[in-house]
Amino acid sequence: MSNGFTVAGIGELLWDVFPEHKRLGGAPANFAFHCYQLGAKAYPVSCVGTDELGLGIRDKLREMGVDASYVLESDTFPTGTVQVTLNEEGKPSYRIFENVAWDHIAFTGGLKALAATLDAVCFGSLSQRSPVSRETIHTFLRHMPEAALKIFDVNLRQSFFSKEQVDASLRLASILKLSDEELPVLAGYFGLRGNVMDQLNELRERFDLRLVAYTRGPDGSVLVGGAEVDDTPGVEGLAVDSVGAGDSFTASLCMGVLKGWPLSTVNVFANRVASFVCSQKGATPVLPEHLKKL
C-alpha cells in the first residue's frame, strides 16, 4: 500500500551477469525497487535497448510490480550489462560495459513532468560517465521541487568518475551517501582534514547538505545531520553477497527521512534492511513483511 511518497532512481538500468546467472541491476533501479517495497510510488528512470535483454528487463520489472513508464528505449544502443565476480566474502567486483542504452538517457517532456512530482530522487556518479545522461540527470534535478530530497549515492565504479563530476553532483544534492572506501577519494579531491567525523562534517557544511550518510559495511553506519548525529553498529548476519545492499540502505534511509523519523531510528532500520539483502542472492530480493511494516 502506498504511503503517499513518490520517488525515482535515475541512471543505470542493466543486467548484473554472474558466472551462473543474471539478475536485474543498476543502483538507481535497485533503489527504486526497494522504495517501492517500503510503500512509495517509485519509478526507475533510465534507457534500455530494443534488444532481447531490454525486453527481458521490462518483463522483470513488470514481474516485480515496478512501473517502467519512464524507462526509455534506444534502437541504436544495446541494453547495459555488467560482469560481476564475487570473492570468498561475497564482495563484488565489476566489469561495466560502455556506450550502452543508459549512457543515452534523453530528457523528455515526460521526465520533466515526473521531476516536478517527486518527493525524492537517487542518482550516482556512474550514470554520469556520458555527457548525454549527465546533462539529463542535472536537468532532471533542477526541475524537482526545492524541498525534495536529492540523494547523491557516490557509488564510484572503475574509472568512471572525476573530481569535477563529484563536485557538480554535490552542489545539486541535499543528501550524500558514501562508503568507507569512497571517503578517502573525496578527502583527496577536496582536501578534507582530520578524522572521519571531521571530514563528514566538512563535506556537509561545504556543500550545504541536509545529511551525510557514511556506511562501513558490516560495521554499521554514521548519519550526520545539522542537529543530530547517530553512529549505529552493523547487524550480525550471514553474508551471501553484498550486491545491492548499499542501494537498499539508501532506499531505507530515504523513506525514513521522508517519514520524519529521528536519525537513530533511520540508521537502525537501514542497517537491518541492508543486512537482510546481504543474506540473499542478488540486489533486489523481496523484503520480509516485518521490515516492510516498519
Side-chain angles (χ1 to χ4, degrees):
M1 182 177 294
S2 172
N3 53 29
F5 297 115
T6 304
V7 306
I10 185 169
E12 63 270 21
L13 175 58
L14 47 85
W15 286 109
D16 284 327
V17 182
F18 295 80
E20 298 176 353
H21 60 273
K22 69 178 188 294
R23 293 184 185 274
L24 190 67
N30 297 339
F31 167 86
F33 174 67
H34 288 300
C35 285
Y36 164 73
Q37 292 201 90
L38 295 172
K41 185 184 293 184
Y43 301 100
V45 178
S46 190
C47 186
V48 298
T50 53
D51 49 21
E52 185 177 346
L53 288 175
L55 293 173
I57 282 182
R58 291 192 176 278
D59 289 342
K60 184 62 177 178
L61 290 173
R62 191 178 304 113
E63 176 188 319
M64 295 162 67
V66 176
D67 191 325
S69 298
Y70 301 97
V71 176
L72 310 178
E73 287 186 342
S74 171
D75 293 324
T76 307
F77 300 97
T79 299
T81 55
V82 175
Q83 286 188 348
V84 185
T85 304
L86 302 175
N87 66 13
E88 293 180 356
E89 289 77 38
K91 190 172 182 178
S93 59
Y94 305 95
R95 182 187 176 196
I96 307 168
F97 292 95
E98 300 183 61
N99 205 26
V100 294
W102 58 260
D103 286 313
H104 301 273
I105 306 170
F107 188 72
T108 64
L111 294 193
K112 180 179 178 180
L114 174 65
T117 71
L118 294 180
D119 296 295
V121 72
C122 180
F123 67 105
S125 60
L126 175 58
S127 53
Q128 298 183 62
R129 67 183 183 179
S130 75
V132 175
S133 291
R134 181 168 60 247
E135 182 58 31
T136 291
I137 290 169
H138 289 193
T139 304
F140 188 89
L141 292 167
R142 294 189 183 102
H143 280 88
M144 288 177 61
E146 185 175 349
L149 304 180
K150 303 176 182 74
I151 305 170
F152 176 42
D153 184 352
V154 180
N155 220 15
L156 303 179
R157 292 288 182 263
Q158 292 180 195
S159 59
F160 302 126
F161 56 90
S162 66
K163 177 182 178 180
E164 293 73 23
Q165 181 198 91
V166 172
D167 182 89
S169 297
L170 285 168
R171 295 183 188 282
L172 290 167
S174 58
I175 294 177
L176 166 64
K177 184 260 185 182
L178 77 169
S179 71
D180 51 357
E181 295 179 346
E182 294 162 342
L183 179 58
V185 177
L186 270 64
Y189 282 168
F190 304 117
L192 307 179
R193 305 298 180 194
N195 59 30
V196 167
M197 286 303 303
D198 292 334
Q199 294 177 16
L200 298 178
N201 275 305
E202 185 173 345
L203 282 169
R204 190 186 66 79
E205 292 170 3
R206 181 182 299 192
F207 294 100
D208 193 26
L209 298 166
R210 172 175 174 176
L211 177 66
V212 175
Y214 173 73
T215 59
R216 303 172 300 214
D219 295 323
S221 54
V222 180
L223 302 184
V224 181
E228 186 182 0
V229 175
D230 183 77
D231 187 334
T232 293
V235 177
E236 290 188 8
L238 175 66
V240 174
D241 79 58
S242 62
V243 178
D247 307 324
S248 70
F249 180 98
T250 309
S252 306
L253 169 77
C254 174
M255 299 311 299
V257 172
L258 286 175
K259 292 179 179 182
W261 292 353
L263 292 189
S264 56
T265 304
V266 173
N267 212 2
V268 169
F269 177 60
N271 274 276
R272 289 179 65 185
V273 172
S275 177
F276 172 79
V277 172
C278 278
S279 74
Q280 307 295 306
K281 291 184 178 180
T284 53
V286 175
L287 297 178
E289 288 301 317
H290 74 272
L291 288 178
K292 293 181 182 179
K293 289 177 181 178
L294 286 176

